Amino acid sequence: MTIEDLRTYGADVEEGLTRCINNEAFYLKLVGKAVADPAFEQLEKAVADRDLDGAFEAAHKLKGALGNLALTPVYEPVCEMVELLRKREDADYGAYMEKVSRKRQELEELTK
């Protein structure tokens, strides 16, 4: 994975690098860790179980991690989920989960 790969993916790499004191190796390492965050599986399970509290907790955790790294394509749908879950909205969280999973998978492909 390279900075250019992340740019092509849609990440705001300049913002992410700024938060990592412009240390490219450190930023790329954190991106790899973010992709493997167990909160993705926790979110998926909570959505499947209709556990809105658990889904909110997992989504909120991901929002922070993904936002700090400026991984915009996966961060944005997670943010949408967080706001809906915060209000306990009756929404099709499965559709949001599909988008999150797809964007995570695209990012994961870059890390291989």
Side-chain angles (χ1 to χ4, degrees):
M1 166 178 51
T2 66
I3 293 297
E4 194 53 44
D5 290 337
L6 290 171
R7 238 184 226 110
T8 300
Y9 169 71
D12 183 348
V13 294
E14 285 70 26
E15 179 70 26
L17 280 169
T18 298
R19 293 189 177 152
C20 292
I21 56 174
N22 291 315
N23 183 327
E24 188 174 310
F26 181 58
Y27 178 64
L28 293 174
K29 180 180 178 179
L30 290 179
V31 169
K33 287 183 178 271
V35 170
D37 192 323
F40 281 109
E41 282 73 28
Q42 293 164 358
L43 177 60
E44 188 172 357
K45 182 179 181 334
V47 167
D49 293 346
R50 301 288 298 159
D51 173 8
L52 298 185
D53 291 332
F56 175 77
E57 185 177 313
H60 195 266
K61 179 182 178 201
L62 287 170
K63 178 183 173 186
L66 300 170
N68 281 332
L69 297 172
L71 298 172
T72 311
V74 68
Y75 171 75
E76 288 178 347
V78 167
C79 283
E80 292 173 26
M81 287 183 76
V82 166
E83 292 314 310
L84 291 170
L85 288 163
R86 184 185 315 275
K87 299 174 190 170
R88 302 299 188 258
E89 292 282 330
D90 183 26
D92 182 3
Y93 293 105
Y96 284 99
M97 197 64 238
E98 286 177 26
K99 186 171 184 180
V100 168
S101 295
R102 186 174 64 252
K103 292 301 180 180
R104 178 194 184 197
Q105 185 174 10
E106 289 173 18
L107 184 58
E108 195 171 33
E109 290 297 317
L110 297 177
T111 65
K112 292 181 180 177

